[in-house]
Structures are given as structure tokens and as C-alpha cells.
Amino acid sequence: MASFKDFVLLVLLTITFILITEAAQKHQAIPSVEKKKELERQLKAINKPAVKSFKTEHGVIYDCIDIHKQLAFDHPLLKNHSVQLKPTTAPEWITSNNISSKVDPLLLLPDGINCQDGTVIVKRTAMQDLMHAQRLKSMGFNGPRHFLTERNNTDGTGQYYVAAVNYGPKTFTGVKGHLNLWEPQVSQDQISLAFIAVAGGPKERFSSIFVGWMIEGSNLGCYDITCPGFVQISKNIPLGSFLQPLSVYNGLQYDIALTLYQDRVKGDWWFAYNHENVGYWPASLFKTAGFSNRANYAAWGGQVYSPVTENTPEMGSGHWPSEGLGKAAYVNNIRIIDGRGNFLYPEPYSLREHETSSKCYRAMYVHENRDPWVRALYYGGPAGCIGE
């Protein structure tokens, strides 16, 4: 079994935060007495003592946790870290932490759930969440795969496919995109996600950050439950939130605005949901990987995972990009932040379609002379692909 130190080094290769939509409940195996005790020990370490708690009608528990006692500070590199309540530098469209703002009406929390100042809102991890995460890991899923791979990553543990647009190599300090919300159909052991990502560092220590939404057989805020190193500052936006409403085929469409940007003074990487800061990954996590001095690759699109014993799940809406708006999943309003903090559309031909297997899933890059389609992507495909 890998040591805790080895585990930390592994997850730093793909530090990931993912918002999810609600998936159907799946049957879980009943753990043995010994296994249950070990799971309870892990849950006690993950779920920090709450100042106040709320339970929804669906049984989901949200805790208000002292901002200085959140799980992030269990990370060995953050033992003496001082919380940054707001970045030193930020794009103009990001809400400053000391200014009151209303989170987008897409449902994150039921009415009546409010955390006090000095706390952060956290979705409590349940035993079934932990069991399912461990099951996926045992099958070979360790989070989203490196988005620059030139072909599908099919090995003895699973199949990974990507359909996206890539940017780079070129230095920049942030990215933004509006992700269309869908609920692709997946089996218990499959995953389908939409993402924006940044990456950097030398090939031997390549690091990346993914944000987006994910559909899978359980309700996870981060692919490995613990969101290692992510320091949350928001009392309004919990990781692992249920996103509603969802888009309807040939009907109403919904999306969320996600931004990843670097504090150009401190080097921390910040995440904002619909223009409100949620939290950040401290620069200290990236120093050994060479990712603390800007990023040089970015991507926007979709990714799926499936065991080798099953055909692949739907990606996006489950329909081909050529079907267009209202039918295919999209990422629009694709932008970058340059080294001076300017908010820009990438040059038209600096974005390149990337498909690990066009037989299974496709990407269609569009650039028009109207917002928000100046730089955009349609992506996805149906279930049932058996690869190449």
C-alpha cells in the first residue's frame, strides 16, 4: 500500500475540483465489520467538526466549517498556510470577496441554508460516497486523464476518451468557459464529465487543474473525495453541489460560467463559479512541478471513463456535435487571461480540436462574430462505443 506521502504526490499530478449534477442512486455492497470501521475512521478525518449543519429533504447534509479548520489543512504542504480571503490580483469580472453578491439562480443549495461569516459551506461525505470512490479507484479510475494525450487511454483497467479544444503551448494566467449542463446516461461504474483545465510544468512533472461537472454512480465533489489542497473561502458555494435545472434536448438550455485564474503576485490558482470566488490551490502545491509561474496549456470539452468490460457511456448530451445548439453539448465564451491580466478571446487558429477517437466522440470548434459564440465548442457522442 502506498504511503500518505506517495498518495499526495500522485494527486498533485491532477488536482481536480468538480461540480456534479444529480445521478440515480446505485446499490452498494454491504461492507464487513472491519471495513466499516475503517470507513468510519476515514469519514471522521474527512468530515470536520461543524459549527452548524443542515439536512435536506433528500438526506444530504451540509456543514458550516470553521474556515481555518477545513480539510485542506490536513495536506502536509499546507500545515502553516494562512488563508487568503481574496486574491491580490483578479480579473475584473470576478466578484471581490468583500462585496456581497447573489449566486446565480441555478440551484446550489435549498432555501434556508446559510453559513455565518468565518465559515465555509461543505457537503458532508457519506459512507456510500466513500465506498463508491474507492470502488472506482480499485477499478483504475484515478481522476481525469491528461487532456493532451494523442489517443484513447485504454488499458487493463479502463477506457478514457476526450473530445475538446486545446490551447498552447503559450504562457497565460487563466481561462474561462460556459459549460452547458446535461445529464448523460452512465452505468454504476462509468463517468462522464465536462471540464475546463489548465496545465503546465515539464513533461516529467506535468500538473493540471480541472473544473467542471461530472455524472457518475455516486455524489462526489472531487474525484478522490478529499479535494487535496483546495482551500475554500466561499460560504455560499459547496463543492459537490447538485446543479439544476438541466438542459433539455431541443428545448431550454442551461450553462454555468467557470473560471480558473492565477493570482499574478502570489501564484495561487483560483476557481470562480459564475464570477464568485469559491477558493484556490496555493502556489506551494505547484512549486516542485514547475507550475507556479503561469500555465502553458488549456483545454475545454468532455471526457468519459468506462471499465473495459462495458461499452462507453454518453458524453455531453449523448448526441453528435453536428446537431448544434439545443441538441449537442457546448462550451462557449471561451477566453484566456494573458500575462498582464487582460481578458481575451484566443486567436481563432490557436484553438485546435482534439479527439482521442472520432469514431466514439467528436469535437467541433466554432468561431463566429457574435457573443457568446466568438470562440466555442460543440462536443460529445452517444453511448455504446467499443473503441478502436
Side-chain angles (χ1 to χ4, degrees):
M1 179 179 294
S3 67
F4 179 72
K5 181 178 179 182
D6 293 333
F7 175 75
V8 170
L9 292 174
L10 174 63
V11 298
L12 284 179
L13 297 177
T14 51
I15 300 175
T16 308
F17 162 78
I18 295 179
L19 291 170
I20 65 169
T21 53
E22 188 170 12
Q25 290 187 348
K26 307 296 181 181
H27 295 293
Q28 298 286 347
I30 299 175
S32 65
V33 174
E34 293 77 12
K35 180 65 173 176
K36 186 174 181 180
K37 287 182 178 179
E38 173 58 19
L39 290 171
E40 289 173 344
R41 185 193 66 77
Q42 293 180 36
L43 287 173
K44 186 176 181 180
I46 292 170
N47 295 317
K48 299 303 181 183
V51 174
K52 184 167 57 174
S53 298
F54 302 89
K55 188 173 183 177
T56 71
E57 60 181 330
H58 300 295
V60 178
I61 298 175
Y62 291 95
D63 294 322
C64 301
I65 307 295
D66 185 323
I67 193 170
H68 300 288
K69 297 179 181 179
Q70 58 182 292
L71 183 60
F73 301 119
D74 285 357
H75 196 295
L77 295 179
L78 302 181
K79 291 298 184 182
N80 298 311
H81 181 77
S82 296
V83 176
Q84 307 300 308
L85 295 179
K86 60 181 180 180
T88 306
T89 61
E92 61 183 0
W93 69 92
I94 301 297
T95 303
S96 176
N97 189 66
N98 59 2
I99 299 176
S100 176
S101 70
K102 183 179 180 181
V103 177
D104 191 272
L106 283 169
L107 292 181
L108 288 169
L109 292 169
D111 291 338
I113 296 181
N114 296 290
C115 285
Q116 65 201 62
D117 290 344
T119 66
V120 293
I121 180 76
V122 176
K123 178 178 174 288
R124 187 180 298 181
T125 299
M127 185 171 292
Q128 68 177 25
D129 299 333
L130 194 54
M131 289 172 60
H132 190 76
Q134 292 182 353
R135 173 177 169 80
L136 286 173
K137 184 171 289 190
S138 70
M139 296 176 62
F141 180 75
N142 285 305
R145 286 290 177 94
H146 177 12
F147 57 82
L148 294 178
T149 182
E150 292 301 321
R151 64 187 205 181
N152 59 299
N153 291 349
T154 301
D155 54 29
T157 59
Q159 308 170 76
Y160 291 81
Y161 294 91
V162 176
V165 288
N166 290 350
Y167 176 83
K170 190 173 183 180
T171 300
F172 59 93
T173 62
V175 295
K176 180 184 178 183
H178 289 208
L179 299 186
N180 195 197
L181 294 176
W182 289 90
E183 189 174 17
Q185 297 302 301
V186 299
S187 73
Q188 179 178 357
D189 299 322
Q190 295 178 330
I191 286 174
S192 185
L193 60 90
F195 69 90
I196 67 173
V198 296
K203 290 183 178 180
E204 64 272 16
R205 295 192 306 276
F206 202 78
S207 297
S208 57
I209 303 174
F210 287 71
V211 297
W213 57 256
M214 178 169 70
I215 293 285
E216 46 88 38
S218 182
N219 296 326
L220 306 181
C222 301
Y223 76 84
D224 71 341
I225 293 288
T226 61
C227 308
F230 183 79
V231 179
Q232 186 170 331
I233 57 96
S234 176
K235 64 176 185 176
N236 302 314
I237 305 171
L239 301 126
S241 304
F242 296 136
L243 298 178
Q244 299 285 352
L246 302 175
S247 299
V248 177
Y249 183 78
N250 207 23
L252 291 174
Q253 300 297 296
Y254 297 93
D255 60 43
I256 52 175
L258 304 182
T259 308
L260 281 170
Y261 69 96
Q262 189 171 38
D263 181 327
R264 299 189 310 280
V265 174
K266 292 184 175 296
D268 304 329
W269 279 93
W270 284 78
F271 167 66
Y273 169 87
N274 286 349
H275 313 308
E276 180 169 331
N277 285 322
V278 179
Y280 63 96
W281 291 270
S284 58
L285 299 176
F286 305 100
K287 286 182 178 177
T288 58
F291 188 29
S292 57
N293 299 316
R294 312 288 188 263
N296 49 23
Y297 290 97
W300 300 255
Q303 186 172 147
V304 299
Y305 164 81
S306 180
V308 292
T309 55
E310 299 182 41
N311 289 348
T312 58
E314 294 178 343
M315 179 190 290
S317 69
H319 292 263
W320 298 112
S322 57
E323 294 190 40
L325 184 61
K327 299 178 180 180
Y330 65 78
V331 184
N332 65 20
N333 207 14
I334 291 174
R335 305 201 190 199
I336 61 167
I337 306 168
D338 68 12
R340 296 181 178 180
N342 298 316
F343 175 44
L344 311 169
Y345 286 113
E347 291 295 325
Y349 299 105
S350 66
L351 294 171
R352 300 174 303 283
E353 295 172 354
H354 177 57
E355 303 164 339
T356 49
S357 174
S358 59
K359 173 184 175 181
C360 300
Y361 307 101
R362 296 173 190 162
M364 187 173 76
Y365 168 46
V366 297
H367 48 98
E368 303 177 0
N369 293 321
R370 60 188 179 95
D371 286 334
W373 306 98
V374 176
R375 303 288 183 270
L377 166 75
Y378 290 108
Y379 72 93
C385 185
I386 57 174
E388 295 180 329

